[in-house]
């Protein structure tokens, strides 16, 4: 199975260890992993800010960077970026000559846990992590990539991990990209509620598919000295080897 890695901007700049851990898990699962060093952004920030022409230019580069065989998968540790590629590229390139390329790319682009469970048919990677944790459903994972059970199936097979569900688990954490900047009081209040719900479970760790959510929640957790850590699921699945 050939996999082209897509590493989002903030993962590359702030959380590179997660990208390396994703590679470890994919290679252990038998994949041949490649990384195109020319890759940049998926184009989502410009699109969400209303700069569609600028976004289309970035997206065109993305299509070029990840061109390849229809049997090559593009896998990313971010449901947000994958959701953008899958759901909004068709809007940007509607009625253009690139639509065939776009649809092929959309069909082979996957979020990490979705790829493991639904393409590779892998639910146990041999990980172990002795802690009590709760899982946060990111909006993009839940609503744009339709991921719900995939992360939970993988986490249920992590030796030593006790997974407990928090109240209002499907409620947004408040990050939302530029939403956190434009509407910071609302954003902070939402993150406060999410961290309180996580803390109420007795969990020591909050896990998600999206580091953007975790970065936002972690800010509140640290500020309030709540004594919880945040972990991307790729870091969990690479633990204990």
């Amino acid at each position: 199975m050939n996999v082209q890695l897509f590493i989002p901007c903030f993962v590359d700049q702030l959380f590179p260890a997660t990208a390396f851990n994703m590679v470890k898990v994919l290679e252990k699962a038998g994949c041949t992993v490649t990384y195109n060093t020319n890759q940049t952004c998926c184009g989502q920030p410009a699109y969400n800010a209303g700069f569609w022409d600028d976004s289309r230019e970035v997206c065109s580069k993305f299509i070029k960077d990840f061109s390849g065989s229809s049997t090559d998968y593009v896998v990313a540790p971010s449901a947000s970026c994958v959701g953008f590629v899958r759901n909004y590229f068709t809007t940007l390139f509607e009625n253009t000559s690139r639509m065939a390329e776009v649809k092929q790319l959309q069909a082979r682009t996957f979020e990490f846990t979705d790829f493991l469970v639904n393409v590779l048919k892998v639910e146990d990677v041999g990980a172990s992590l002795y802690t009590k944790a709760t899982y946060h459903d990111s909006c993009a994972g839940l609503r744009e990539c339709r991921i719900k059970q995939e992360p939970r199936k993988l986490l249920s097979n992590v030796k030593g991990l006790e997974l407990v569900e928090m109240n209002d688990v499907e409620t947004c954490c408040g990050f939302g990209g530029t939403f956190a900047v434009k509407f910071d009081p609302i954003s902070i209040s939402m993150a406060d509620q999410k961290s309180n719900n996580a803390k109420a479970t007795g969990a020591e760790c909050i896990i998600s598919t999206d580091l953007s959510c975790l970065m936002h929640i972690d800010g509140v957790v640290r500020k309030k000295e709540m004594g919880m850590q945040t972990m991307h699921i790729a870091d969990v699945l690479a633990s204990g080897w």
Side-chain angles (χ1 to χ4, degrees):
M1 193 77 74
N2 295 321
V3 170
Q4 298 182 55
L5 285 184
F6 169 47
I7 305 302
C9 316
F10 59 90
V11 177
D12 178 64
Q13 294 296 311
L14 301 175
F15 306 101
T18 297
F20 285 109
N21 281 331
M22 189 175 76
V23 173
K24 285 172 60 178
V25 175
L26 289 172
E27 289 184 339
K28 186 176 183 181
C31 296
T32 300
V33 180
T34 58
Y35 177 75
N36 182 353
T37 57
N38 290 323
Q39 66 179 268
T40 52
C41 179
C42 66
Q44 182 176 193
Y47 181 90
N48 289 347
F51 299 102
W52 283 25
D53 289 339
D54 294 323
S55 177
R56 191 177 295 106
E57 185 176 346
V58 177
C59 293
S60 295
K61 182 181 185 304
F62 184 94
I63 295 168
K64 179 181 177 182
D65 290 340
F66 290 96
S67 61
S69 169
S70 59
T71 60
D72 286 356
Y73 291 92
V74 178
V75 181
S78 168
S80 177
C81 295
V82 169
F84 177 68
V85 173
R86 284 185 175 181
N87 296 294
Y88 298 99
F89 269 38
T90 44
T91 301
L92 283 171
F93 293 98
E94 188 176 13
N95 297 323
T96 72
S97 61
R98 308 210 71 166
M99 276 300 287
E101 290 178 276
V102 166
K103 289 182 177 180
Q104 189 216 58
L105 179 60
Q106 288 174 323
R108 57 191 182 87
T109 300
F110 285 82
E111 182 275 331
F112 176 55
T113 64
D114 186 15
F115 181 71
L116 285 175
V117 173
N118 295 320
V119 178
L120 294 183
K121 308 299 180 184
V122 170
E123 295 183 10
D124 188 347
V125 298
S128 62
L129 183 65
Y130 294 86
T131 192
K132 185 176 183 179
T134 190
Y135 180 79
H136 163 64
D137 289 287
S138 75
C139 294
L142 189 66
R143 297 172 178 87
E144 294 190 344
C145 294
R146 303 190 182 280
I147 297 164
K148 178 71 177 181
Q149 295 305 321
E150 290 82 356
R152 290 169 170 83
K153 287 179 180 178
L154 291 160
L155 293 173
S156 70
N157 288 300
V158 175
K159 185 179 179 182
L161 182 67
E162 179 186 356
L163 190 66
V164 289
E165 295 287 353
M166 71 175 94
N167 288 333
D168 298 326
V169 67
E170 295 186 355
T171 300
C172 179
C173 70
F175 178 64
T178 55
F179 178 86
V181 178
K182 293 179 179 178
F183 305 99
D184 57 304
I186 302 173
S187 174
I188 292 168
S189 179
M190 293 171 74
D192 190 57
Q193 181 185 52
K194 176 66 67 171
S195 58
N196 286 337
N197 287 339
K199 184 67 175 178
T201 66
E204 300 169 331
C205 181
I206 305 170
I207 301 168
S208 184
T209 55
D210 283 74
L211 281 164
S212 50
C213 296
L214 293 175
M215 178 176 62
H216 185 58
I217 296 168
D218 187 60
V220 171
V221 168
R222 289 175 181 269
K223 180 71 174 179
K224 296 174 66 176
E225 298 182 347
M226 300 178 76
M228 294 184 292
Q229 68 175 134
T230 56
M231 289 185 74
H232 189 278
I233 194 167
D235 300 321
V236 175
L237 297 179
S239 299
W241 293 359

